[in-house]
Amino acid sequence: MILFRLTLKSLANRKATVLMTLAMLVMSNVLLLTVDRLRLDTRASFANTVSGTDLIIGARTGSLNLLLYSVFHLGNATNNISWQSYQELIAQKEIDWAIPISLGDSHRGYRVVGTDTTMFTHYRYGKKQNLAFADGEAFDGVFDVVLGAEVAKSLGYKVGDEIVVAHGVGKTSFTEHGDKPFTVTGILKATGTPIDKSLFVSLEAITAIHVDWINGVKLPGVKISAEQALTMDLQPDSITAAMIGLKSRMQIFTFQRLVNNYRAEPLTAIIPGTALAGLWQLIGLAENALIAVSVIVAITALLGMTTVILTSLNERQREMAVLRAIGLSSSKVAALLVMESGFYGVVSVIAGYLLHALSILALAPIVQEQFGINLSLSVPSLALSLTLGGFLLATFLLGLIPGIAAYKRSLADGLIIRR
Amino acid sequence: MTAISIESLIHTWPGQSHATLDIKELNINAGDTFFIHGASGSGKSTLLNILAGVLSIQSGKLEVLGQNFATMSHAQRDKFRADNIGYIFQQFNLLPYLTVMENVTLPCHASKQRERNAIEQYGSVEEAAHYGLTSLNIPKALFHTSVMRLSVGQQQRVAAARALIGNPSIIIADEPTSALDHDNIQNFMETLKQKCSEINSTLVFVSHDRTLAEFFGQSMTLPSRLQEAEQ
Ligand SMILES: Nc1ncnc2c1ncn2[C@@H]1O[C@H](COP(=O)(O)OP(=O)(O)OP(=O)(O)O)[C@@H](O)[C@H]1O
Ligand SMILES: [Mg+2]
């Protein structure tokens, strides 16, 4: 008990050094915790985005590529599926439901997804949850639009507002379909997935806004008004991809083979879980690099701490001699240094966690907006808990280095201090 | 009764060709005040470290309060020192991060026996410390301040109060006056002697200053063996 109080008071007497050393250790803990959180939440964000979808169908392409552009809206499709093939495929007896997806337009940086109302009845995310409306309802007319939660929130739209869709993706797309504005009919509840950052319109709407465009360029002199467009045949020629639910999961592989061998045009069907595994492999590399760096930083901080304590030994010779003189044993003097080192460990892990929590709370909205990753506050993963435990243990063990040095010195020199 | 008895005690520091200490015989009676004079480097501090049980005996015999140090372990000698010995250094006796009171009561945290003695005599460790500090002329206002605000003379008197608390049988003082001026030395010596006799402690005091011998009942001189060896 007396040792513990002496340790604390002695540390309090060396505030500047102690605070700097703590800062170093705390930062290394924050890094460990945050990298771990980022890693887990990135995976969770990806894994939560599709659930309950058996297959994703698109033009022939790499499975990871198809997954990324169809579900995560990362990158662009190189090819489409013809409407006819799509119709043929979903007419198969194995099909339970199908959600068509038509990408390529945007609204102020947010993707516009052409689809049909199965999106709102059959798309599932997270723990097999359906989409839900925070306000309003699904689109009905051609020029109706449903907004993801974040789109509505950050652009301040309400049900009933009119918006204009731009061709192309990205914030700078300037060729707007200004002659055909859309009316907001519904706003979805937040899902923590790319859905939040999307606008949903009917497939017919996508066709309608493109009737006077060819190959992405507005036809000069041709001007078709919204009213005229409505009278035209708005059946799409093609879609970008489709998410499919089968009647039985047993049929997944058979149906996948069917799509992959489809004769009319080259198509790809992927199982989301399998494609995600490919994604993990890719992400794994980056993760490992980050983890390695944060572990090296932690080790460096631990070595720095040991150096600080070792250096302090010289100026604390008097302190040690006084403690020896009042009858403390050499091992208690050593214990004092181990406790000091352990104090750094315990305080830095706790402070590191608190600072990590604060920074997560502060950064979560920004990260969500920029990268679509939901940072959450939660207990560290098992691996990280072990790492932090190892860190704590290391502080105590490293305390043995100055501890043993002081022990040996006190036995060898007694109370005689030589400079 | 003899408090300390030495027979052919030799101590050679590692790496040195000659013994720093070579004492044929020395007996110090309980309750005596004993002065050891010696030039710098004659081994005064080395001897006191051995008497306090901090350094192990290399050869010869040493009995302190009837205990044979040669047969005791480090831990046993540490406990013995905590219980029976008050130690005063030349300077920097106090832990800078503790208050005056915390410094003085420190030995009572290291030794149950001294804590018991203090409580038996004064009712509590704090009372014992108050008494000790007051009788060593430390103003009450300083009791709870940081020791860094004390003058050197005051620091040495606080160190004496710490050595004396809980009535250890032996007080060992390693040139505690060398940082003090003449008047302070007189004052310090008188009070220290008086306090030791109050609690029947044996006082072993070393200094290179021969004139201090007048304050003591008995004295001896440590030969400077290094110089002898060189001659
Ligand atoms: N830890 C040590 N290791 C090696 N030699 C030491 C050690 N401590 C002291 N010595 C040597 O022992 C000799 C006596 O030292 P000691 O400190 O006992 O002398 P002293 O009489 O107390 O001197 P001073 O009056 O300067 O304090 C010196 O030659 C010193 O170099
Ligand atoms: Mg000395």
Side-chain angles (χ1 to χ4, degrees), chain A residues 2 5-6 9-10 13 318-319 321-330 336 410-416, chain B residues 13 45-46 49 54-55 74 78 81-82 87 89 91-98 102 106-107 109-110 148 162:
Chain A
I2 179 179
R5 274 184 36 226
L6 286 175
K9 292 203 164 167
S10 173
N13 192 44
R318 303 261 172 207
E319 185 183 332
V322 168
L323 294 173
R324 290 282 287 137
I326 65 154
L328 290 198
S329 61
S330 302
L336 215 56
S410 87
L411 284 189
D413 293 357
L415 310 175
I416 300 169
Chain B
W13 281 103
S45 298
T46 308
N49 272 261
V54 177
L55 290 177
H74 279 291
D78 290 333
R81 176 171 68 258
Y87 206 106
F89 293 96
Q91 54 177 330
F92 306 116
N93 272 287
L94 308 175
L95 295 183
Y97 46 84
L98 297 183
E102 287 168 334
L106 214 45
H109 295 293
M148 314 231 251
R162 184 179 66 203

Side-chain angles (χ1 to χ4, degrees), chain A residues 412-413 416 418, chain B residues 13-14 16 20 39-46 175 226:
Chain A
D413 293 357
I416 300 169
R418 296 178 304 158
Chain B
W13 281 103
Q16 294 196 352
T20 300
S40 182
S42 60
K44 303 182 296 292
S45 298
T46 308
E175 309 200 54
L226 193 65

Side-chain angles (χ1 to χ4, degrees), chain A residues 145 213 342:
Chain A
V145 59
W213 293 56

Side-chain angles (χ1 to χ4, degrees), chain B residues 1-230:
Chain B
M1 194 188 129
T2 42
I4 295 169
S5 100
I6 292 176
E7 245 175 71
S8 12
L9 183 76
I10 298 176
H11 189 93
T12 312
W13 281 103
Q16 294 196 352
S17 50
H18 295 274
T20 300
L21 274 183
D22 186 351
I23 301 174
K24 295 278 165 306
E25 189 169 8
L26 175 63
N27 285 298
I28 302 174
N29 288 328
D32 263 9
T33 55
F34 197 95
F35 180 67
I36 299 171
H37 165 257
S40 182
S42 60
K44 303 182 296 292
S45 298
T46 308
L47 174 60
L48 294 188
N49 272 261
I50 295 172
L51 294 183
V54 177
L55 290 177
S56 301
I57 293 163
Q58 294 174 344
S59 83
K61 235 183 106 183
L62 167 64
E63 274 187 19
V64 183
L65 304 175
Q67 303 275 337
N68 182 358
F69 268 22
T71 62
M72 289 163 73
S73 69
H74 279 291
Q76 286 171 323
R77 278 183 276 133
D78 290 333
K79 171 156 194 328
F80 181 89
R81 176 171 68 258
D83 288 344
N84 299 296
I85 296 175
Y87 206 106
I88 311 173
F89 293 96
Q90 185 171 356
Q91 54 177 330
F92 306 116
N93 272 287
L94 308 175
L95 295 183
Y97 46 84
L98 297 183
T99 65
V100 170
M101 278 294 286
E102 287 168 334
N103 262 288
V104 174
T105 55
L106 214 45
C108 295
H109 295 293
S111 160
K112 282 267 166 293
Q113 182 178 321
R114 285 173 73 172
E115 183 181 30
R116 226 180 301 122
N117 289 349
I119 293 173
E120 253 167 40
Q121 197 170 354
Y122 298 99
S124 73
V125 170
E126 282 65 37
E127 272 310 307
H130 272 249
Y131 169 81
L133 285 169
T134 313
S135 60
L136 282 157
N137 290 324
I138 302 294
K140 233 191 169 79
L142 294 177
F143 285 8
H144 293 282
T145 60
S146 156
V147 295
M148 314 231 251
R149 292 173 51 189
L150 303 183
S151 72
V152 180
Q154 285 169 333
Q155 286 182 28
Q156 291 303 80
R157 278 182 278 142
V158 172
R162 184 179 66 203
L164 291 159
I165 198 167
N167 306 356
S169 308
I170 298 173
I171 302 291
I172 290 177
D174 192 347
E175 309 200 54
T177 55
S178 58
L180 304 182
D181 59 40
H182 182 73
D183 286 350
N184 261 316
I185 292 178
Q186 290 281 329
N187 178 299
F188 183 85
M189 290 307 305
E190 293 297 354
T191 354
L192 181 62
K193 259 175 57 186
Q194 187 209 326
K195 304 298 295 178
C196 283
S197 74
E198 229 174 70
I199 61 171
N200 295 320
S201 283
T202 311
L203 174 63
V204 182
F205 190 109
V206 306
S207 175
H208 63 270
D209 182 358
R210 208 185 293 274
T211 62
L212 293 177
E214 58 168 304
F215 293 102
F216 294 86
Q218 293 181 35
S219 67
M220 72 171 281
T221 298
L222 278 182
S224 190
R225 304 184 52 80
L226 193 65
Q227 279 157 26
E228 277 172 19
E230 277 169 359

